[in-house]
Amino acid sequence: MGRYIIRRLLQAIPLLFIISVILFVLMQNMGDPIATLGGRRATRPEDRERLTRQLGLDKPMYTQYLYWLVGNDWDKFDADGDGVPETPGQRLGVLRGDFGTSMVNRGKPVWEVIWERIPNTLLLMAAAEVVIIVFAVLIGVYSALHQYSVADNVITAVSFIGYSMPIFFIALLSIYIFSVKFQRWGLPYLPSVGMFDPQVGKTPSQVARHMILPVLSIAFVSLAAYSRYIRSTMLEVMNQDYIRTARAKGLRGRYVIVVHALKNASLPIVTVVGLDIAFLLGGAVVTERIFAWPGMGRLFLDHVSRSDVPVVMGILMLLAVTVIVFQIITDIAYAWLDPRIRYE
Amino acid sequence: MIGKTSRIWLLATFLLILALAACGGTTSEPGSSTTDTTAPASTDTPAEQPTDAPVEQPAATERKVATFIWTQEFDTLNPIYTGMWFVSITFDIWNAPAWSFNNKDEPVPVLVTQMPSEANGGITDDGRTITLNLRDDIKWSDGEPITANDFVFTYNMIMDPANIVQSTYPYDSMASVTAADDQTVVLTFDDPFAPWMTLWRYLLPEHVLAPVFEAEGTLDAAEWNLAPTVGAGPYVFAEWESGSFARFVRNENYFNAPPLIDEIFIRFVPDDASQTAALQTGDADLGTFIPYSDVPTLRDAGVNVISVPSGYNEGWFFYFGDNGNPALQDVNVRKAIALAFDREALSQDLLLGLTKPAASLWDNTPYVDPSITPYPFDPEEAKRLLDEAGWVDSNSDGTRDKDGVELILSHGTTIREIRQDTQAVAQQQLAEVGIGLDIQSYDADIFFGGMSDGGPAASGELDIFQWSDGPSVYPDPDHYYWYCSEIPTDEYPDGANWQRLCDETLDGLFALQTTQTDFAERQQTFFEITRYMHDNVIWLGLWQDPDIWALSGRLQNVNMSGASPFYSLAEWDMQN
């Protein structure tokens, strides 16, 4: 197993290199980072020329990639525009642990920009994932055990309504009902945006209240897929001989379902969850935007819209590493769940 | 058994939603609260120190906290590194300009004792030297005095190539900035510089940043950029949590009357619909960039919506380059376009009558020839002008043509919803007179890209391009992208005259106005500019584009200006 993990990690190195090259090339066509600089109008020509030079955007793409990868502290650039490179570069490059500084939050290290958002994203996404898994297991198991019952059909229909609705619609609808309308009707209402009420402060109960609508919005659209997976795998397992054997041995129904059936039925679910957990770090772009949740999804969107290559590259490389790591963890989980699987 | 468990879970979830909704937050309607507002705010609660980091504020009901919503998060707070409008309007909150502008866009001295003029000797007769006399009681939020050295330092930092600043304009127009003494700043110019009032909208604290610059050789990574804990406005920076909010608390060392509201809490909410919902529920007291379509909803919810002219006007720029459609070289065709597009109906229907057609790029300033009125909607006259210009539908395909060239014009703008709606309306109305419109829309960072980055407008790929623009720094009327020298070329790809218009009359008038420090003379020059551009349809105004602000009923004594919206923030109050 140890050798297997090391082999997988070594294989990841060239993979990450290729991913970084592809992403960097794609990023060059993303837009012009100094087109407006976030303002309401185009950047003035003198400033455009100066910023292009000072930010190193006048260098060929391969040079910019090289700087990103190995830094530019071995090179000089022309800061004052006199045609003579005189100012030494400051960047160390990704290989020396320096992802550069954000072009939007000028001077702020990329890792600092990303790190600030990770806890918020994990809080929101982990809560949503827990809600999704708990409800998906309950719904999936119930549907499998009561196949084609009225309840099964109703749950299936509701799940698919959620699945087929765009998240922005669910999110805005939930704000409209639970915030705007509930307040108008004189009912206790939920906050519409943000993480807390500034009059009260950032207390755990405030954060919890502000999480309800975004978590439920994410859960509602994701429940259907998970619950259908569980339903179908449970149906398959429940017809296996060892389930009949377990029942014949006189084991209690709930014990058979949870220990014998659900554990074996969860293998495909682990694959899906394993991949999804990696993407939790990426945040929920639309949900975070609508509920003004300060997570990674919004960070990505904000910085893509300003063509902030260092930050966007940092986010995407972090996601790439996370996906690779979680794939390895998923493979290990297989071996634990299914003793027939062995890695050489 | 399982079924029962599921039902219990569902019931528990619903109860949890209601329980959590009920606890922790107020259930009162916006506008009502238990806060006592009868006592003076300054004696209610001691203001927080600038460096207070925790957000916990147990004495919630005793504080007046105004929540603003910004749909864009700050990029940085150091004024020299940003061109973001949402940042620049905060300068009046926590920084201090030499002068501000009131709700009539008249200059109001803040750091200076009076506005320099030729009459009071502040401006020399040749217009090349301006002297600023500073108040002797002005100080930074940490108690250090604000002196002429802070002005010199700010100028030096903007002009030093070691700092990758956002723009050197208008400071690059000055030859030098010197401190004659602690209270006297002397500005010298090689040529008279009429837009001098665009200078000094902010100041950098030398005593805080000079040591950083000396140590690091640049201010690019200074901590103050993202946490300017020393400022000079009625409020002082307290905290900025990435993606979430920024707080500004009362400045105890403010040199004018202390502000009445304790804290300004700016929440970053990128989604327009969410902003509207937050304003409706009272989760926000102020918002801006409100979609026109949401204005009736907000008014129904008791939110005040006001429009404040800030010099912006939405309009069409025409491409005059040789490789464009030859029709646009003909003034009669451009007039026909103006006559065929019902911009009054556009204002009434799409913009709900909240604005009106723009007659010039300088609408809502004193620089527009008062005799100018927007072209009326007259499709018959448009057809007559097109016929006269020789553009007729010779091949009966529904579109006019001339010498084998079809009158189909490419039109591009950004993806903003109102602009895309406008494109659709224009396409339909121009088709009625035989003009085809091939419409495109782009993300802003692509649309505004320069020629070397393939920006469609800069590269000459569009016959008509639309956006909202105003003077370089409102309320000054200066404009820079009409000069022949600004036409982009291979040698000068960053040129800003994307229209490729080289008109000697216009060129001369624009050059003249920048040197006219006398208001009346400059105004006359602009009358000529606006009349000339109108008569020749060099730019076609669609609608005046004021800033739309939504204000909750709790905010009182609000006065805003287009140039500096929060110039009177210290006088605002809240009724909880």
Side-chain angles (χ1 to χ4, degrees), chain A residues 12-70:
Chain A
I13 293 171
L15 182 64
L16 284 170
F17 175 73
I18 294 167
I19 289 172
S20 73
V21 172
I22 293 171
L23 289 176
F24 202 88
V25 171
L26 289 174
M27 218 129 297
Q28 302 307 308
N29 300 309
M30 210 164 58
D32 179 4
I34 50 176
T36 62
L37 294 163
R40 288 170 76 169
R41 52 156 62 95
T43 304
R44 294 175 75 92
E46 319 80 85
D47 295 322
R48 179 187 287 277
E49 185 275 327
R50 177 181 51 78
L51 285 163
T52 302
R53 187 182 66 250
Q54 289 179 325
L55 293 170
L57 301 172
D58 54 343
K59 304 278 186 198
M61 192 195 301
Y62 62 85
T63 308
Q64 290 186 46
Y65 179 76
L66 200 65
Y67 285 173
W68 179 81
L69 194 66
V70 300

Side-chain angles (χ1 to χ4, degrees), chain A residues 41 47 106 196 199 209 290, chain B residues 20 60 164 167 267 274 470:
Chain A
R41 52 156 62 95
D47 295 322
R106 197 70 59 75
F196 63 93
Q199 291 278 7
R209 285 186 79 232
I290 290 175
Chain B
L20 284 170
I164 308 177
S167 179
R267 175 173 270 154
S274 305

Side-chain angles (χ1 to χ4, degrees), chain B residues 19-291:
Chain B
L20 284 170
C23 74
T26 174
T27 56
S28 58
E29 296 289 332
S32 67
S33 172
T34 54
T35 304
D36 176 15
T37 57
T38 53
S42 58
T43 57
D44 277 350
T45 322
E48 293 183 21
Q49 292 303 305
T51 49
D52 282 354
V55 186
E56 299 282 350
Q57 293 147 22
T61 54
E62 294 173 11
R63 292 175 59 77
K64 292 180 181 177
V65 181
T67 303
F68 296 178
I69 283 188
W70 266 209
T71 50
Q72 266 187 319
E73 184 176 7
F74 307 148
D75 44 11
T76 169
L77 280 166
N78 187 328
I80 69 173
Y81 288 108
T82 182
M84 190 183 271
W85 182 79
F86 279 104
V87 179
S88 64
I89 58 172
T90 67
F91 297 161
D92 282 309
I93 298 177
W94 64 272
N95 203 294
W99 45 81
S100 202
F101 294 89
N102 64 16
N103 52 5
K104 292 173 186 157
D105 286 328
E106 298 161 339
V108 180
V110 178
L111 300 180
V112 293
T113 54
Q114 61 182 345
M115 293 305 292
S117 67
E118 288 186 19
N120 63 24
I123 301 176
T124 54
D125 289 342
D126 64 1
R128 289 187 169 85
T129 305
I130 297 177
T131 303
L132 311 180
N133 294 310
L134 306 183
R135 285 167 54 173
D136 57 8
D137 60 342
I138 48 177
K139 53 192 171 183
W140 294 100
S141 58
D142 59 358
E144 286 289 315
I146 296 174
T147 69
N149 290 328
D150 291 310
F151 284 73
V152 176
F153 177 74
T154 302
Y155 170 75
N156 288 339
M157 289 301 98
I158 291 168
M159 298 308 295
D160 195 314
N163 299 321
I164 308 177
V165 300
Q166 187 268 343
S167 179
T168 52
Y169 181 86
Y171 297 85
D172 49 10
S173 307
M174 288 190 281
S176 69
V177 177
T178 51
D181 56 53
D182 275 358
Q183 265 77 51
T184 311
V185 188
V186 181
L187 321 176
T188 56
F189 301 82
D190 290 331
D191 297 302
F193 184 62
W196 63 268
M197 266 194 250
T198 58
L199 292 157
W200 312 117
R201 304 294 274 265
Y202 53 81
L203 210 56
L204 301 182
E206 186 200 20
H207 68 288
V208 175
L209 292 174
V212 178
F213 186 75
E214 281 161 22
E216 298 178 11
T218 175
L219 291 182
D220 287 359
E223 280 182 31
W224 190 88
N225 298 351
L226 304 172
T229 47
V230 175
Y235 295 87
V236 63
F237 172 88
E239 187 183 9
W240 169 9
E241 187 174 298
S242 171
S244 187
F245 67 89
R247 293 168 56 228
F248 298 88
V249 296
R250 184 189 287 138
N251 175 6
E252 287 299 286
N253 284 320
Y254 187 46
F255 45 83
N256 285 332
L260 302 176
I261 296 172
D262 294 289
E263 178 176 324
I264 303 298
F265 183 91
I266 298 179
R267 175 173 270 154
F268 308 120
V269 180
D271 190 75
D272 288 340
S274 305
Q275 175 179 235
T276 300
L279 286 161
Q280 282 178 279
T281 57
D283 288 333
D285 298 300
L286 176 147
T288 186
F289 274 80
I290 308 294

